[in-house]
Amino acid sequence: MSEEKPVILTCAQPTGVLTIGNYLGAIKNWATMLDDYNCYFGVVDLHAITVKYTPAELRKNTLSCVAQYIACGLDPERSNLFIQSHVVGHTELAWLLSCITPIGDLQRMTQFKEKAAKLGFKVAEGEGSNELKFAHQGARAGASLNSGLLMYPVLMAADILLYNADAVPVGNDQRQHLELCRDLAQRFNSTYSETFKIPEPFIPKSGARIMSLQDPERKMSKSDDNQNSTLYILDKPDVLRKKLMSAVTDSGGEIKAAEDKPGVSNLLQIHSAISGSSTAELEASFVGKGYGDLKKEVADVVIAALEPVQARYAELIQDKKYLESVLKAGAGEAQKRAYKVLGKVYRKAGLVERPR
Ligand code: TRP
């Protein structure tokens, strides 16, 4: 793999099953990304342990996540697919970065505040300082606010900077974290000397934006409380069909993509992303038909599209040897680059080089 290509890094937490939104939104881009970039895909297990979890499940989910990505078409021969904890340097770099990260910056992170609020911790303005204090009253019994949760964005910055990535594909919910990463890279560069590239957000050229089936104004999400909102790539055909048949549609019976028809638009969008037919072509083919016909056809299309993905997944998840070989190669490549960057960072930060 040529080192001259710009580096793209993307990471996913090993939580749950990918949605058809992940599949249709990301997958189409991977193929083109692989042509133009040197790609690193990390499964970030060390991020997953910032919230309560079960060890056996984490292990299972991490491997499942790897298998899902491959089943969805991420080609491990052409990209570096690795597990975060397999590569030395992520936590090391996070420590160095934490030493130039104001606590206040971390306490102001929207996701931190949301996760803290879920545990019952409320933010209060600190007196005379711009750091925020967390009121412990109201916290759930036995809940504690772990520093790992606060450090989460620093570890994420380390993931990115450890590969000196040029670009990072991030959704809106991760933009603030990427901003912090850019700040930290700049701060490191100006405190020591030019070391890191400043990573840019990567905006994919195309990629469908799939919405919730139950609330089509919101994006389809892995973690929706209403399971009927989300089509998972590993859902059985009858489950996919049931969810699609109960998708929310709009008033009026016409099958047309329009702003005041978010439900129908979303179904057409799913169809179009899979079948490749344009919305206009689909509208034409549904003239005189009803919402039930649309849902039925979308279900057929989705089920057919996921069938090979599910078959591939079933094979992969049985084939531990193959998964291990992919992960070994991926971590090997990632480690090479990571050691280079980490060595440079240590030197710039004034650490004595390890005797050879
Ligand atoms: N925080 C990201 C998410 O929840 C996952 C993540 C961790 C990540 N490290 C990253 C994403 C580095 C991009 C780059 O989606």
Side-chain angles (χ1 to χ4, degrees):
M1 194 173 301
S2 149
E3 282 293 327
E4 273 119 74
K5 287 185 193 172
V7 168
I8 282 207
L9 171 111
T10 170
C11 296
Q13 285 204 54
T15 43
V17 178
L18 294 177
T19 72
I20 194 154
N22 301 133
Y23 175 59
L24 296 175
I27 191 117
K28 298 243 152 107
N29 294 306
W30 285 340
T32 55
M33 260 163 57
L34 292 175
D35 291 336
D36 302 334
Y37 298 91
N38 189 0
C39 294
Y40 291 82
F41 289 93
V43 177
V44 290
D45 50 353
L46 297 172
H47 278 99
I49 65 176
T50 55
V51 293
K52 206 162 177 270
Y53 75 102
T54 313
E57 256 168 39
L58 174 65
R59 193 170 295 124
K60 207 171 119 214
N61 288 342
T62 303
L63 286 174
S64 167
C65 185
V66 171
Q68 285 177 53
Y69 275 107
I70 301 174
C72 282
L74 194 158
D75 181 354
E77 299 286 328
R78 299 184 58 213
S79 58
N80 310 299
L81 178 57
F82 66 94
I83 292 178
Q84 182 188 33
S85 64
H86 288 181
V87 179
V88 175
H90 289 257
T91 53
E92 283 78 359
L93 183 55
W95 174 255
L96 262 85
L97 295 175
S98 79
C99 296
I100 56 166
T101 310
I103 294 179
D105 286 8
L106 298 179
Q107 290 181 325
R108 266 189 296 278
M109 289 283 134
T110 307
Q111 262 190 9
F112 173 66
K113 288 197 274 186
E114 279 170 7
K115 287 175 187 169
K118 264 198 187 154
L119 294 168
F121 290 87
K122 266 243 250 5
V123 187
E125 285 288 345
E127 268 171 46
S129 83
N130 55 6
E131 265 144 46
L132 302 165
K133 294 214 168 67
F134 277 79
H136 288 228
Q137 64 266 34
R140 286 211 209 110
S144 70
L145 202 48
N146 298 324
S147 24
L149 206 55
L150 186 67
M151 282 285 291
Y152 181 111
V154 180
L155 181 58
M156 174 164 163
D159 296 338
I160 298 167
L161 299 179
L162 187 62
Y163 299 93
N164 229 335
D166 294 273
V168 184
V170 284
N172 276 334
D173 63 328
Q174 297 299 317
R175 284 195 169 248
Q176 197 184 31
H177 288 162
L178 182 60
E179 264 319 304
L180 179 83
C181 173
R182 289 164 55 90
D183 288 349
L184 291 177
Q186 259 144 5
R187 191 168 307 138
F188 191 98
N189 289 351
S190 61
T191 306
Y192 302 105
S193 62
E194 203 56 31
T195 306
F196 294 120
K197 290 184 195 161
I198 311 301
E200 298 290 334
F202 178 81
I203 317 285
K205 284 195 197 93
S206 62
R209 190 173 148 83
I210 307 298
M211 313 305 280
S212 153
L213 296 180
Q214 293 300 317
D215 179 2
E217 311 275 2
R218 285 189 307 128
K219 213 177 129 192
M220 185 180 281
S221 155
K222 255 187 197 181
S223 51
D224 203 305
D225 290 334
N226 185 344
Q227 290 291 297
N228 282 328
S229 298
T230 308
L231 299 170
Y232 294 100
I233 59 160
L234 301 179
D235 278 344
K236 296 244 153 56
D238 57 323
V239 174
L240 293 167
R241 189 173 297 279
K242 208 168 131 241
K243 287 180 179 176
L244 277 162
M245 292 314 288
S246 60
V248 165
T249 41
D250 315 286
S251 54
E254 204 187 346
I255 295 175
K256 198 170 115 229
E259 232 168 79
D260 60 346
K261 289 180 155 268
V264 171
S265 303
N266 189 36
L267 292 173
L268 288 169
Q269 163 88 336
I270 295 173
H271 192 312
S272 166
I274 296 172
S275 64
S277 308
S278 70
T279 317
E281 285 164 354
L282 292 174
E283 284 169 358
S285 78
F286 281 108
V287 169
K289 294 188 183 158
Y291 287 161
D293 301 308
L294 171 64
K295 289 175 174 180
K296 192 177 161 300
E297 191 168 315
V298 174
D300 291 341
V301 169
V302 166
I303 290 166
L306 289 180
E307 205 232 8
V309 173
Q310 297 184 351
R312 181 82 181 110
Y313 175 81
E315 253 170 48
L316 286 165
I317 203 66
Q318 299 297 330
D319 196 347
K320 291 270 145 48
K321 276 237 169 67
Y322 174 72
L323 290 181
E324 273 171 16
S325 73
V326 163
L327 290 170
K328 188 171 172 195
E333 280 303 309
Q335 187 69 76
K336 273 194 225 156
R337 191 171 173 91
Y339 270 144
K340 262 194 218 149
V341 176
L342 191 65
K344 186 169 167 189
V345 169
Y346 274 6
R347 230 172 21 252
K348 301 255 183 175
L351 305 181
V352 173
E353 210 178 323
R354 177 191 295 198
R356 287 166 203 268

